């Protein structure tokens, strides 16, 4: 099944959205105004968006209404009876399997709307069903889809940089975790780090290095020493949008923990605190699933930043946005 449940409403006049940030990384949740994509699974619904309504993605998160760091989240009815809702995540360039900071932003948005309270809640995503726990202190703990280390010590020849070694891992999206980087892990070096990470991403594509089942690796992560005494490491993540993550990246932290566990340096249950290039921190740990799979947990806070109505005037030349 593909297409839209209501194909006559593919370009609404307005959309109601709520913006938040999770440790600095923005999420824009579409509350209403977007026609429901058809499909019996979240993967099919994501495919329907990509094939039939990509102009809506651009209109919501690309300029002039959004920007390269913006992540959108479309709420849909759930596909599992025990779930609260379905979520499709997207950015200024593509669609995501999962998004850790985005899920936490969605949950904070639903709390803001009075739709969620303390307890455990489930959400369906294209990558699988995830759950969150809400406590009375406002912290949100996410249980992500299973993470795994796919391959260690992959050698990569990067034009202009030279030999780069890294690990390939999955945490809801596919990551190349580079062992080294030239630029310092400082916010002032974000442009230089971005260029370096983009060169690695291009080399991965050119040399045919992929994740399982040929999935493209579209997230690059650098890691180093933290600047905070309460963190274990600091990271820089280039997202599939082509921009960097302002948060420590939930799927990236999940992938990192899977690699650390594979190397024997992160036991099940041990807390790993990941600092972002902007100084925010995610607390994470791994549990063992019923079949031995690694279940990452990420704890963080999100904050509402805006509630707005996006307007798409018929005569607006940038009605559907511009950029990718």
């Amino acid at each position: 099944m593909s297409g839209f449940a209501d194909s006559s409403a593919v370009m609404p006049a307005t959309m109601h959205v709520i913006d938040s940030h999770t440790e600095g990384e923005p999420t824009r949740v579409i509350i209403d105004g977007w026609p429901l994509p058809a499909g019996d699974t979240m993967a099919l619904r994501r495919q329907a968006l990509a094939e039939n309504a990509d102009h809506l993605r651009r209109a919501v998160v690309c300029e002039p209404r959004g920007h390269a760091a913006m992540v959108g989240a479309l709420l849909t009815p759930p596909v599992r009876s025990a779930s609260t809702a379905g979520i499709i995540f997207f950015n200024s360039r593509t669609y995501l399997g999962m998004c850790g900071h985005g899920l936490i932003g969605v949950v904070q948005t639903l709390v803001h709307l009075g739709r969620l309270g303390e307890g455990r809640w489930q959400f369906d995503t294209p990558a699988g069903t995830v759950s969150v726990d809400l406590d009375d202190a406002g912290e949100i703990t996410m249980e992500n889809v299973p993470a795994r280390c796919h391959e260690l010590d992959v050698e990569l020849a990067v034009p202009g940089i030279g030999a780069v070694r890294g690990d390939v891992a999955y945490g809801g999206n596919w990551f190349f975790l580079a062992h080294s980087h030239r630029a310092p892990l400082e916010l002032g070096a974000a442009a230089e780090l971005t260029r370096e990470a983009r060169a690695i991403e291009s080399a991965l594509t050119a040399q045919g290095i992929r994740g399982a089942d040929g999935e493209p690796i579209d997230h690059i992560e650098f890691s180093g020493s933290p600047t905070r005494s309460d963190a274990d490491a600091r990271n820089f993540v280039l997202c599939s949008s082509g921009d960097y993550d302002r948060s420590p990246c939930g799927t990236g932290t999940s992938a990192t923990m899977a690699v650390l566990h594979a190397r024997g340096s992160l036991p099940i249950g041990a807390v790993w605190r990941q600092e972002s290039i902007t100084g925010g921190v995610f607390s994470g740990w791994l549990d063992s699933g019923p079949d031995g799979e690694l279940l990452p947990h990420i704890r963080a806070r999100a904050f509402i930043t805006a509630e707005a109505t996006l307007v798409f005037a018929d005569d607006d030349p940038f009605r559907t946005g511009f950029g990718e």
Side-chain angles (χ1 to χ4, degrees):
M1 190 176 183
S2 63
F4 276 81
D6 181 7
S7 60
S8 66
V10 295
M11 195 62 209
T14 62
M15 286 188 200
H16 177 204
V17 301
I18 294 180
D19 291 352
S20 64
H21 79 82
T22 306
E23 293 295 341
E25 180 74 354
T27 305
R28 171 166 287 171
V29 181
I30 295 88
I31 303 302
D32 57 50
W34 190 315
L36 174 65
D40 297 330
T41 68
M42 296 308 299
L44 285 175
R45 293 175 185 178
R46 179 180 61 177
Q47 181 181 344
L49 292 188
E51 292 178 351
N52 304 302
D54 199 52
H55 60 290
L56 293 179
R57 174 191 62 81
R58 295 194 308 271
V60 168
V61 296
C62 291
E63 295 184 67
R65 296 169 189 84
H67 51 81
M70 179 74 73
V71 171
L74 175 64
L75 299 178
T76 78
V79 296
R80 294 175 179 264
S81 60
S83 296
T84 300
I87 312 172
I88 301 172
F89 296 107
F90 51 91
N91 57 36
S92 62
R93 193 168 74 173
T94 189
Y95 298 84
L96 302 168
M98 234 300 285
C99 182
H101 96 270
L103 176 64
I104 293 169
V106 166
V107 171
Q108 188 61 49
T109 294
L110 294 176
V111 170
H112 171 74
L113 292 171
R115 300 183 186 179
L116 291 185
E118 291 180 42
R120 169 161 281 218
W121 307 89
Q122 288 187 355
F123 296 88
D124 299 323
T125 77
T129 298
V130 296
S131 64
V132 295
D133 288 292
L134 283 170
D135 65 23
D136 58 3
E139 286 193 315
I140 298 168
T141 301
M142 169 190 84
E143 183 181 286
N144 197 5
V145 296
R148 60 188 183 275
C149 175
H150 181 65
E151 190 173 359
L152 296 173
D153 300 319
V154 175
E155 294 283 354
L156 182 68
V158 183
I161 294 178
V164 174
R165 179 179 293 179
D167 308 315
V168 176
Y170 179 79
N173 298 298
W174 281 100
F175 285 79
F176 183 81
L177 310 174
H179 292 178
S180 61
H181 50 89
R182 291 184 171 186
L185 290 181
E186 299 171 358
L187 189 57
E192 189 176 352
L193 288 163
T194 297
R195 286 192 293 271
E196 188 173 349
R198 285 177 174 173
I200 291 173
E201 183 183 15
S202 295
L204 288 166
T205 301
Q207 294 169 45
I209 298 174
R210 292 177 168 262
D213 301 321
E215 289 290 323
I217 301 169
D218 54 9
H219 289 67
I220 311 300
E221 181 169 347
F222 300 137
S223 184
S225 299
T227 62
R228 294 174 49 150
S229 61
D230 61 348
D232 296 293
R234 179 176 242 218
N235 73 357
F236 171 92
V237 174
L238 180 73
C239 300
S240 60
S241 64
D243 207 344
Y244 68 93
D245 200 324
R246 276 67 172 165
S247 80
C249 186
T251 58
T253 300
S254 298
T256 296
M257 292 192 298
V259 167
L260 292 172
H261 182 74
R263 293 188 178 278
S265 57
L266 184 66
I268 295 294
V271 175
W272 172 264
R273 290 177 58 82
Q274 180 71 70
E275 179 190 9
S276 75
I277 194 173
T278 62
V281 169
F282 283 172
S283 296
W285 63 93
L286 295 171
D287 278 345
S288 182
D291 297 318
E293 67 270 32
L294 297 176
L295 298 178
H297 291 70
I298 305 292
R299 179 176 293 158
R301 296 186 68 186
F303 299 87
I304 302 300
T305 57
E307 187 166 356
T309 298
L310 303 182
V311 178
F312 308 98
D314 288 341
D315 60 347
D316 182 351
F318 300 114
R319 187 184 191 203
T320 59
F322 61 88
E324 301 192 56

